[in-house]
Each structure stands twice: as structure tokens, then as C-alpha cells.
Amino acid sequence: MGVMARLFTSDLHLGHRNIARYEAGRARAAGVEPLDGPADDATQDRIDTFLIDRWNGTVQNDDEVWVLGDVVMGKLDTTLEMLSRLRGRIVLVPGNHDRVWVGDPRHEAWRDRYLAAGITKIVDAPATLDLADGTVVDVDHFPYRGDSGDKDRYVEWRPADRGRVLLHGHVHSRWQTNGTMINVGVDVWDYKPIAETQVIGLVAAAQTAATSEASR
């Protein structure tokens, strides 16, 4: 067994019938024309399989992947089964579309089902994480500010800015980095998880930029 690597991603939205309408880039990358309405079974399977293949081409069985929210959607009796097709050990920081998100009144009732389906561990946000180089970051599904659309939603669930770099999802293709916020979502990182080594470089750049801005 090789040395375990840690990777990060978010917002797979597996089983989300409208993702080809909201994320045209993802649809085209999967070989699907953007849609005006919900996808049919064959189209949705093509999009989901594309993401699963991208994941499995990047992640080894002994790797740990932190998913910062919104992993599966749709009819969970079907879509939860897709988790078993993903390689590695999955640590889920739930987002607003996950039934185990603390903002969902049903979250406790769903935890065992997510764990049985293939999630290794569920970490409720806000959470703090030590990266391999010793840098401490915060992780959450939500950014400090900003959204996938023009209006900020779930404002009451946003993490407090404690001066650390924040790894997050939720905004889909709006940005990769935005000040001290780093979006690890699949839609801005070639539709696959990104390695911790790459994240460490992004965090260092964000910290340097923040320090420079503060000194002006």
C-alpha cells in the first residue's frame, strides 16, 4: 500500500437532474449539450459517470478525499449508491444539499445511511484542519461571502472569518480563489479532486496576498 495522499473537492451534485442547465461547462466536458430543463436518465448517467471517472483517475484506494459539501442529490435511494463507485476514503463536510447537513432537520436520521453508503467520516462545519506543511486552515461548504448566483444565500450559516484561509465549495464556477477564500469545487479544477500539495501552494499565495494588502 502506498503512502496516503489527501485531496479536496466539492459540489459533485451526483444525480442532480438540473446540473447540465446550471453548469454549462460541466455538461460540455461530459459531452452533453447544456439543457434548458431536467436531464433524462441517459444524459444524467453520462454526466455522473464522467465525474466518477475523473475522480477515480485521480484518487487511489488509500487516499483521503475531503468533500466540502453537496456530494449527491436527487432520489437518494439511487444516488447514494454512487458513493460506492468512488475510490478512496471520503470525509464529508456537509453542504446545504446534503441530508446530513446540520441545517437540515433530518440530518441525524440520515447519518447512518451516508456512512453505510460509502462516506468514511462526517465532519460538521465550521471545522479547522492542519495541512501537511503545518498550515492551519478553516474548512466549510460555504465561503465567507459570495454565491453561485448574484445573491448570497444561507447567510446565517456562513463561517466567521477568523483570519485564516478558508477552503470551501458552494460557488461552483464563480472563482478558484477570492482573497483568502479557496474554492475546491469540481467545476473550477478540471472536474476532479485537487491534491493537498496544490492546495498548500494556493494557501501560501493567499496568505502572502492578504499580508501585502494589509500592509498597504
Side-chain angles (χ1 to χ4, degrees):
M1 181 180 295
V3 176
M4 181 188 75
R6 185 158 57 182
L7 303 95
F8 297 86
T9 192
S10 75
D11 297 283
L12 280 76
H13 282 237
L14 296 174
H16 185 185
R17 297 284 179 160
N18 283 309
I19 197 66
R21 176 169 59 170
Y22 298 137
E23 290 296 332
R26 183 187 304 200
R28 293 192 180 99
V32 172
E33 283 301 309
L35 303 176
D36 294 327
D40 59 25
D41 288 348
T43 301
Q44 190 61 44
D45 181 69
R46 186 167 184 173
I47 296 169
D48 292 337
T49 298
F50 165 73
L51 280 187
I52 292 168
D53 287 348
R54 295 292 284 172
W55 174 301
N56 288 338
T58 304
V59 177
Q60 301 300 313
N61 287 332
D62 58 332
D63 289 344
E64 179 181 88
V65 185
W66 281 65
V67 179
L68 305 189
D70 293 2
V71 61
V72 294
M73 292 180 61
K75 296 180 179 179
L76 294 188
D77 287 341
T78 301
T79 56
L80 274 176
E81 295 176 358
M82 284 191 276
L83 295 176
S84 66
R85 296 166 58 187
L86 298 172
R87 301 177 72 177
R89 298 193 286 272
I90 303 173
V91 179
L92 176 64
V93 178
N96 53 288
H97 287 299
D98 298 309
R99 293 280 178 86
V100 288
W101 175 50
V102 294
D104 190 320
R106 305 162 291 182
H107 70 277
E108 287 292 350
W110 279 89
R111 290 179 82 92
D112 287 345
R113 288 193 62 181
Y114 271 68
L115 294 170
I119 298 296
T120 302
K121 185 178 180 181
I122 298 169
V123 176
D124 293 325
T128 299
L129 183 65
D130 293 340
L131 298 179
D133 69 337
T135 303
V136 179
V137 296
D138 286 342
V139 294
D140 202 308
H141 174 64
F142 300 108
Y144 297 135
R145 59 194 173 277
D147 213 296
S148 57
D150 295 331
K151 182 180 179 181
D152 283 10
R153 301 166 296 158
Y154 305 100
V155 174
E156 68 275 21
W157 294 100
R158 300 302 179 104
D161 187 345
R162 298 182 288 181
R164 298 192 185 105
V165 171
L166 174 70
L167 309 183
H168 68 88
H170 188 66
V171 299
H172 285 269
S173 52
R174 291 300 288 261
W175 68 72
Q176 285 186 327
T177 62
N178 183 353
T180 55
M181 301 180 292
I182 298 174
N183 171 27
V184 299
V186 292
D187 294 296
V188 291
W189 296 107
D190 203 19
Y191 308 102
K192 60 186 180 182
I194 60 174
E196 183 176 33
T197 51
Q198 186 174 3
V199 169
I200 288 170
L202 294 167
V203 170
Q207 290 175 324
T208 299
T211 300
S212 176
E213 181 69 22
S215 66
R216 290 179 182 177

